[in-house]
Amino acid sequence: MSTRTSPTVKRRRIAAELRRLRARTGMSAEEAGRQVGLSKSAISRIENAESTPQVATVAALMRLYGVAESDIEQISDVARQARTRGWWQRWNDVLPGWFDTYVGLESEASHISEYEPQLVPGLLQTADYARAVIRAEHPDETPEAIERRVELRLQRQEQRLEHPPKLWVVLDEAVLHRIVGSRDVMRNQLKRLADVAVQPGNDIQVLSFEAGEHGSMGSAFFILRFPEAGDTPCVYLETRAGSLYLEEIDEVEQYTTLFDHLRATAVGVRRSEEMISEAINRL
C-alpha cells in the first residue's frame, strides 16, 4: 500500500471508478446527472477528473449505479482524501492549473520515465540551473516570482526524496553541452547529475549525437506509473500554453514502446556516466 496521499491521484481514481460504473449501467451522462441533480457537463468534468466532487455526490452516484453500501463508504473515504489540499498549493500564485495536476501526479508516482531533448529534468536541477531556466522561460516576471518558482522546483525534489520513485531518464547529448546560466552553474549541475546517476533506483542514459534521427526529436515526454493497481499509468506532454495527459491504454503503450526504443538506442548507463564526467572535465 502507498503512503502517499496526493489528492490529484485520488480525484483521478474517483473519476475512473464513476466512469466505469456508469458505463456498466448503460446510463448516459445526461441521465445520470438528471437523477442526482447535476448537469451533463458536471458529470463529464467529474469523470474526466477536471473537478473534485462532493463526497455526497459520489455516494449518490454510486447508489444510482447499484453499488453496495460497504463499497460506497470505501470510495467515499477516497473522495474525502481527494478534497484535501496538496502541499504544492502553497505555490498557487506561480503554479498554473495545468501544471498543478502534474505535480499532484508526480507526488504519488512510483515510476517516472522521462525523455528530455534540451534540459536536465526539473527533479534533478540545481537551484542555480533552475533559476536560469525559469528566468529564460519567464523573462517578464519579477525576481520574487522567479524565486517562488525555484522554491517549488526544489520542494518537488524534497518530496521525491521522501517517497523516491524509480527514475529512468534518457537525455539527449545536447543537454550535456548546452551552457545554462554560466560555466560554473553548468559544471555544478553536471556534478549533481553524476551524483544522481549512481544512486540506487536511478537510471540515466544519454542519447548520443551518433544515434542520429529517432522517434521523439525535439519532444519531451513523461510516463508516470503509480503504486496502487487501480491507478492506471499516464503520459504527460507539456507546451508553453498548457499540457496534455494521455491515459488510454493504447496511448500509454505507444509512448512506452517509444521510450523502450530510446533506451535501446541510447548508450548504456555506465557509458552515460562517463559522458557526463567528460562534459564536466570540458568545463
Side-chain angles (χ1 to χ4, degrees), residues 127-198:
D128 288 337
Y129 185 99
R131 188 174 293 109
V133 170
I134 292 169
R135 191 181 294 121
E137 291 178 340
H138 303 278
D140 298 327
E141 288 205 348
T142 65
E144 293 76 16
I146 297 294
E147 288 307 308
R148 288 283 288 164
R149 291 180 182 273
V150 173
E151 288 174 9
L152 172 59
R153 194 158 299 184
L154 297 180
Q155 186 59 40
R156 285 169 54 203
Q157 296 176 14
E158 289 294 322
Q159 292 292 321
R160 186 183 81 86
L161 294 177
E162 289 184 19
H163 301 291
K166 168 67 177 175
L167 187 64
W168 202 314
V169 177
V170 176
L171 300 174
D172 192 280
E173 187 177 351
V175 175
L176 306 183
H177 294 278
R178 183 182 302 279
I179 304 297
V180 173
S182 68
R183 295 178 71 84
D184 284 342
V185 168
M186 194 64 199
R187 184 185 302 109
N188 289 332
Q189 176 59 76
L190 291 177
K191 288 180 179 178
R192 164 75 66 83
L193 198 60
D195 290 341
V196 172
V198 297

Side-chain angles (χ1 to χ4, degrees), residues 107-118:
S107 294
E108 197 157 338
S110 58
H111 291 72
I112 301 176
S113 302
E114 179 177 356
Y115 169 65
E116 279 289 355
Q118 298 290 339

Side-chain angles (χ1 to χ4, degrees), residues 3-73:
T3 59
R4 302 169 176 84
T5 57
S6 166
T8 306
V9 175
K10 303 302 185 291
R11 184 173 71 236
R12 186 169 174 259
R13 188 181 304 168
I14 290 292
E17 183 65 5
L18 291 178
R19 191 168 60 242
R20 182 188 69 81
L21 290 169
R22 182 177 63 79
R24 189 180 67 180
T25 67
M27 287 187 193
S28 67
E30 183 176 11
E31 181 181 358
R34 186 168 58 248
Q35 292 284 347
V36 298
L38 295 175
S39 66
K40 175 183 176 181
S41 61
I43 293 293
S44 295
R45 287 195 298 273
I46 291 171
E47 291 185 355
N48 290 320
E50 295 171 357
S51 66
T52 306
Q54 297 286 340
V55 177
T57 299
V58 173
L61 285 168
M62 295 187 74
R63 289 190 183 97
L64 176 64
Y65 302 149
V67 177
E69 286 296 324
S70 58
D71 292 332
I72 290 175
E73 182 56 34

Side-chain angles (χ1 to χ4, degrees), residues 172-177 206-213 275:
D172 192 280
E173 187 177 351
V175 175
L176 306 183
H177 294 278
V206 175
L207 188 64
S208 70
F209 292 143
E210 295 177 358
E213 69 279 1
M275 292 180 71

Side-chain angles (χ1 to χ4, degrees), residues 85-276:
R85 285 176 58 84
W87 61 262
W88 56 91
Q89 291 172 333
R90 287 177 290 167
W91 284 270
N92 275 350
D93 55 323
V94 293
L95 183 63
W98 52 266
F99 195 60
D100 177 296
T101 299
Y102 174 77
V103 176
L105 294 174
E106 178 188 79
S107 294
E108 197 157 338
S110 58
H111 291 72
I112 301 176
S113 302
E114 179 177 356
Y115 169 65
E116 279 289 355
Q118 298 290 339
L119 296 170
V120 171
L123 284 178
L124 307 181
Q125 291 177 6
T126 65
D128 288 337
Y129 185 99
R131 188 174 293 109
V133 170
I134 292 169
R135 191 181 294 121
E137 291 178 340
H138 303 278
D140 298 327
E141 288 205 348
T142 65
E144 293 76 16
I146 297 294
E147 288 307 308
R148 288 283 288 164
R149 291 180 182 273
V150 173
E151 288 174 9
L152 172 59
R153 194 158 299 184
L154 297 180
Q155 186 59 40
R156 285 169 54 203
Q157 296 176 14
E158 289 294 322
Q159 292 292 321
R160 186 183 81 86
L161 294 177
E162 289 184 19
H163 301 291
K166 168 67 177 175
L167 187 64
W168 202 314
V169 177
V170 176
L171 300 174
D172 192 280
E173 187 177 351
V175 175
L176 306 183
H177 294 278
R178 183 182 302 279
I179 304 297
V180 173
S182 68
R183 295 178 71 84
D184 284 342
V185 168
M186 194 64 199
R187 184 185 302 109
N188 289 332
Q189 176 59 76
L190 291 177
K191 288 180 179 178
R192 164 75 66 83
L193 198 60
D195 290 341
V196 172
V198 297
Q199 293 172 5
N202 299 330
D203 286 296
I204 297 178
Q205 290 182 256
V206 175
L207 188 64
S208 70
F209 292 143
E210 295 177 358
E213 69 279 1
H214 56 83
S216 192
M217 298 180 72
S219 178
F221 64 89
F222 307 70
I223 305 172
L224 305 177
R225 301 183 185 278
F226 306 95
E228 300 289 348
D231 297 326
T232 56
C234 72
V235 174
Y236 173 74
L237 307 172
E238 183 179 313
T239 69
R240 288 190 64 83
S243 60
L244 179 64
Y245 296 88
L246 306 177
E247 302 182 75
E248 297 297 327
I249 293 175
D250 60 334
E251 295 172 332
V252 175
E253 286 181 349
Q254 285 181 37
Y255 274 88
T256 300
T257 299
L258 174 57
F259 190 74
D260 288 343
H261 174 73
L262 292 171
R263 285 193 302 141
T265 306
V267 301
V269 292
R270 295 293 176 265
R271 175 55 187 148
S272 295
E273 292 168 11
E274 292 173 358
M275 292 180 71
I276 295 170

